[in-house]
Amino acid sequence: MTRTAVVTGGGTGIGRAIAETLVEQGLNVTITGRRKEVLEETATAIGARAVAFDAADPAAVEGALTELPDRVDVLVNNAGGNAARRRPPVADGDLAGVRELWLAQYEQNVISAVLVTTALTPRLADDGRVILFGSIAGTRGSGGYGAAKAAVHNMAADLAARLGSRRITVNAVAPGLVEDTEFFGGTLTQERREWLISQAFNGRAATPGDVAATVAFLASPSAGHITGQVIHVNGGALLAR
Ligand SMILES: NC(=O)c1ccc[n+]([C@@H]2O[C@H](COP(=O)([O-])OP(=O)(O)OC[C@H]3O[C@@H](n4cnc5c(N)ncnc54)[C@H](OP(=O)(O)O)[C@@H]3O)[C@@H](O)[C@H]2O)c1
């Protein structure tokens, strides 16, 4: 039977590379995201199906269920981002602004994954695979974004324990700097980029393909004994000295 995959945030960047890799491996792939046009363009280019909805909105997730596959072998909760990269900095002492930013970061990275996973859990095949998206920031820290990604790492442990009896594995993939995605929205300075790259032992950023290859392995039948883990993909940058 053809295995099915749902990749949230599959229209761009890392999610697109994951979806493309899984299609190449013969899976029937559905990509999701908020922007319908972006999704449809990617879906056509890579041979996937597109279903547009906001993963952080419970009503939208519920509404999308009729269009999502009845059986899900692989769920990749890749949708996420850092709202701080999309808005002006919060002014010193603006507590309401801090609250709003941290909630937005939590909603986009944690709530999106919780809602989609909860909605699709009854459809997960025994021996299924759930991949969550953490970050090096979830371990090293980076304001509300890092805190949200740390929560995602924590989710992997809990979900893995709860779904283990069905032989479903749950892992979080935690990339370091990945280029050629929309993540930074043009806000990464050359100085910061060079510093981030200097932290990696191999002296380079990741490509979306580096992360997709890791996800494809975790999604494969051969990865059945790896669960509840945070898998770092960062050229060693987490250990930088
Ligand atoms: N790039 C990096 O250096 C890096 C490092 C560590 C971790 N990550 C993580 O890797 C994942 C993928 O990021 P990326 O670098 O590929 O950036 P990206 O190109 O901006 O991809 C993020 C995708 O998520 C979708 N998305 C965001 N919020 C959503 C929501 N509420 N509902 C549905 N879809 C949503 C976006 O599509 P729409 O805008 O159309 O919804 C977009 O396609 C994210 O979780 C990110 O935090 C990235």
Side-chain angles (χ1 to χ4, degrees), residues 5-66:
V6 173
V7 181
T8 70
T12 66
I14 298 168
R16 177 180 170 136
I18 294 166
E20 192 166 13
T21 302
L22 295 179
V23 168
E24 281 163 10
Q25 294 185 345
L27 279 77
N28 195 325
V29 178
T30 301
I31 57 172
T32 80
R34 292 167 298 186
R35 289 166 297 167
K36 196 167 192 279
E37 354 44 268
V38 171
L39 275 182
E40 282 176 352
E41 201 182 310
T42 297
T44 305
I46 69 174
R49 281 181 65 237
V51 181
F53 64 94
D54 183 345
D57 175 348
V61 175
E62 242 165 55
L65 279 174
T66 51

Side-chain angles (χ1 to χ4, degrees), residues 9 11-15 33-35 53-56 78-81 86 108-109 133-135 145 149 175-178 181-184:
T12 66
I14 298 168
R34 292 167 298 186
R35 289 166 297 167
F53 64 94
D54 183 345
N78 157 84
R86 299 273 186 263
Q108 192 174 22
N109 293 285
F133 259 75
S135 167
Y145 174 71
K149 290 302 197 186
L177 173 64
V178 186
T181 83
E182 295 183 357
F183 182 82
F184 290 99

Side-chain angles (χ1 to χ4, degrees), residues 222-241:
S222 6
H225 205 50
I226 303 173
T227 195
Q229 305 301 309
V230 178
I231 310 292
H232 290 277
V233 185
N234 54 42
L238 186 61
L239 307 170
R241 56 204 70 204

Side-chain angles (χ1 to χ4, degrees), residues 87-209:
R87 51 177 82 181
V90 177
D92 284 348
D94 176 6
L95 297 188
V98 170
R99 179 179 187 276
E100 200 196 317
L101 176 60
W102 278 59
L103 285 176
Q105 288 161 325
Y106 197 80
E107 199 169 79
Q108 192 174 22
N109 293 285
V110 184
I111 299 299
S112 60
V114 174
L115 293 183
V116 175
T117 305
T118 304
L120 290 180
T121 293
R123 300 187 188 185
L124 286 174
D126 287 351
D127 248 320
R129 303 282 180 259
V130 178
I131 288 115
L132 301 166
F133 259 75
S135 167
I136 191 171
T139 302
R140 294 186 78 171
S142 179
Y145 174 71
K149 290 302 197 186
V152 172
H153 296 178
N154 187 277
M155 268 175 72
D158 180 54
L159 264 178
R162 287 199 278 130
L163 298 177
S165 63
R166 292 165 56 193
R167 299 182 312 281
I168 295 168
T169 67
V170 185
N171 294 288
V173 168
L177 173 64
V178 186
E179 295 197 302
D180 301 326
T181 83
E182 295 183 357
F183 182 82
F184 290 99
T187 63
L188 184 64
T189 63
Q190 191 56 22
E191 193 186 12
R192 174 81 178 156
R193 175 179 180 271
E194 281 167 15
W195 182 81
L196 288 171
I197 288 175
S198 75
Q199 300 268 291
F201 294 157
N202 56 3
R204 70 171 178 86
T207 64

